[in-house]
């Protein structure tokens, strides 16, 4: 009696009417809705700090210190954008960062690009060790080599009479040593996706190996170069640790100069956020202009030939 009753209940609970079953299109629709919801949450999480930086630049110090999450300021205070130029030479800081980051990017693409091309096309003794060595440099925390780099700068100044500390060439040399290994690993995979048959065809038509490199390979590698250059520029532009020790007077970068808004007795949050917003606008504009090349460079580098 009991077993028959349980069998009857079980048969009813496992039987689902056909009209209540999800079709393949319905399952796909549910999957797309869930996936897009997750993407929207990730997008909100990524944009929220940037939005708060922008809105805080229009608040007074008292409004910033008020408790509560005021996403949109009720009475925008635009004076922060004028006062920040009166307090500190932000234009000089910005020019210093642009010069150092731009030259670092060019040198990194030139040195790292040629090294990546060589690793992609040639076989030579110690190739794998060189690749692993370049990768290992990215795993060392910067704070561990801060003092050795400081001593190296002092030795080059006193022994070789080459002033490195607080100079353009010193900071460019420092940042290039960090960004070249990163450039090699970014471009190595991209060069692997360019068929060697194109270079061979160019050489059959009369080009030398160097001409084939710069007339055929480099134009095809333009998206990868654009993506790598963008990341190298951001790495150099946003660097703080080494600049706080080795560039504090003559070539103070923007990342250090903006810290002047944090005084001993107060922090001028509104002006600091206004300066941060102003610094982010040109970088954002560059990314928008070259977004197609950057996305293409990031995705193509992951595909093997």
């Amino acid at each position: 009696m009991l077993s028959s009753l349980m069998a009857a209940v079980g048969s009813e609970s496992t039987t689902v009417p056909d009209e209540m079953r999800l079709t393949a299109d319905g399952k796909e629709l549910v999957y797309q809705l869930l996936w897009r919801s997750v993407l929207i949450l990730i997008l909100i999480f990524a944009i929220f700090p940037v939005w708060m930086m922008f809105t805080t630049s229009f608040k007074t110090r008292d409004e910033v210190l008020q408790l509560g999450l005021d996403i949109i300021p009720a009475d925008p205070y635009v004076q922060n954008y004028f006062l920040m130029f009166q307090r500190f030479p932000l234009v000089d800081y910005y020019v210093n960062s642009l010069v150092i980051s731009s030259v670092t990017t060019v040198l990194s693409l030139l040195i790292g690009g040629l090294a990546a091309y060589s690793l992609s096309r040639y076989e030579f003794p110690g190739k794998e060790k060189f690749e692993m060595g370049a990768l290992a440099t990215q795993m060392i925390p910067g704070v561990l080599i801060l003092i050795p780099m400081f001593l190296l700068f002092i030795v080059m100044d006193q022994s070789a009479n080459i002033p490195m500390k607080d100079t353009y060439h010193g900071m460019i040399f420092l940042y290039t040593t960090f960004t070249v290994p990163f450039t090699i690993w970014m471009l190595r995979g991209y060069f692997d996706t360019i068929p060697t048959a194109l270079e061979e065809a160019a050489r059959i038509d009369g080009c030398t190996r160097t001409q084939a490199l710069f007339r055929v390979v480099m134009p095809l590698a333009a998206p990868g170069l654009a993506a790598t250059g963008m990341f190298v520029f951001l790495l150099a532009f946003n660097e703080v640790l080494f600049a706080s020790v080795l560039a504090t007077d003559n070539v103070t970068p923007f990342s250090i100069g903006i810290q002047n808004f944090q005084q001993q007795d107060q922090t001028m949050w509104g002006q600091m956020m206004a300066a941060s917003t102003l610094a982010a606008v040109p970088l954002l504009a560059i990314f928008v202009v070259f977004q197609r090349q950057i996305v293409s460079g990031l995705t193509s580098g992951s595909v093997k030939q």
Side-chain angles (χ1 to χ4, degrees):
M1 180 66 180
L2 181 60
S3 59
S4 61
L5 180 60
M6 292 180 63
V9 172
S11 62
E12 290 179 358
S13 62
T14 55
T15 302
V16 179
D18 294 338
E19 59 272 13
M20 296 183 64
R21 293 180 182 273
L22 280 177
T23 62
D25 293 338
K27 293 180 180 178
E28 180 65 21
L29 178 61
V30 172
Y31 172 77
Q32 290 293 336
L33 289 176
L34 291 175
W35 178 239
R36 292 184 182 186
S37 300
V38 172
L39 291 180
I40 290 174
L41 290 176
I42 295 175
L43 183 63
I44 293 174
F45 184 77
I47 291 180
F48 184 74
V50 181
W51 175 254
M52 289 305 297
M53 176 188 72
F54 177 71
T55 56
T56 304
S57 67
F58 292 99
K59 296 179 181 177
T60 62
R61 184 172 178 272
D62 294 336
E63 290 176 328
V64 174
L65 297 179
Q66 287 179 353
L67 296 177
L69 188 62
D70 189 7
I71 298 178
I72 300 176
D75 187 14
Y77 182 71
V78 296
Q79 293 300 320
N80 287 327
Y81 284 88
F82 299 98
L83 293 176
M84 64 180 184
F85 288 109
Q86 299 175 5
R87 294 185 183 276
F88 303 106
L90 292 179
V91 176
D92 294 340
Y93 298 158
Y94 202 79
V95 171
N96 292 337
S97 290
L98 286 180
V99 171
I100 294 173
S101 302
S102 300
V103 179
T104 299
T105 303
V106 173
L107 290 177
S108 298
L109 291 178
L110 180 62
I111 301 173
L114 293 177
Y117 175 80
S118 300
L119 292 172
S120 176
R121 293 294 191 266
Y122 299 102
E123 295 293 335
F124 52 86
K127 176 182 174 180
E128 294 182 357
K129 293 181 180 178
F130 178 82
E131 292 175 339
M132 294 307 300
L135 180 61
T137 59
Q138 303 301 298
M139 303 176 185
I140 301 175
V143 67
L144 293 181
I145 57 176
L146 176 60
I147 294 178
M149 290 302 298
F150 178 80
L151 295 177
L152 176 64
F153 274 33
I154 298 298
V155 170
M156 293 182 69
D157 187 5
Q158 296 180 353
S159 300
N161 197 22
I162 302 176
M164 299 291 288
K165 186 175 180 293
D166 213 15
T167 61
Y168 278 129
H169 59 270
M171 298 308 297
I172 292 170
F173 168 79
L174 175 65
Y175 290 158
T176 303
T177 58
F178 299 153
T179 54
V180 163
F182 172 79
T183 305
I184 292 174
W185 274 99
M186 284 285 290
L187 291 179
R188 163 67 193 280
Y190 199 88
F191 281 128
D192 288 342
T193 65
I194 300 176
T196 57
L198 297 176
E199 295 176 72
E200 295 171 356
R203 297 193 66 184
I204 292 174
D205 291 339
C207 289
T208 63
R209 184 177 292 274
T210 304
Q211 290 174 334
L213 170 63
F214 287 101
R215 291 185 179 182
V216 177
V217 178
M218 287 302 178
L220 292 175
L225 294 172
T228 306
M230 186 69 186
F231 278 103
V232 170
F233 186 87
L234 291 178
L235 285 175
F237 194 90
N238 295 328
E239 203 282 328
V240 173
L241 176 63
F242 290 92
S244 63
V245 177
L246 301 174
T248 53
D249 295 323
N250 298 324
V251 293
T252 303
F254 195 84
S255 58
I256 300 301
I258 202 172
Q259 295 180 2
N260 291 330
F261 290 103
Q262 187 175 9
Q263 302 291 319
Q264 184 175 3
D265 56 343
Q266 66 170 341
T267 299
M268 294 167 274
W269 290 109
Q271 296 169 34
M272 179 184 287
M273 294 300 106
S276 301
T277 302
L278 201 63
V281 169
L283 302 178
L284 184 62
I286 293 174
F287 184 82
V288 171
V289 171
F290 295 100
Q291 60 175 329
R292 180 173 300 178
Q293 289 81 1
I294 292 173
V295 173
S296 175
L298 291 175
T299 55
S300 299
S302 61
V303 180
K304 291 289 186 182
Q305 181 183 357

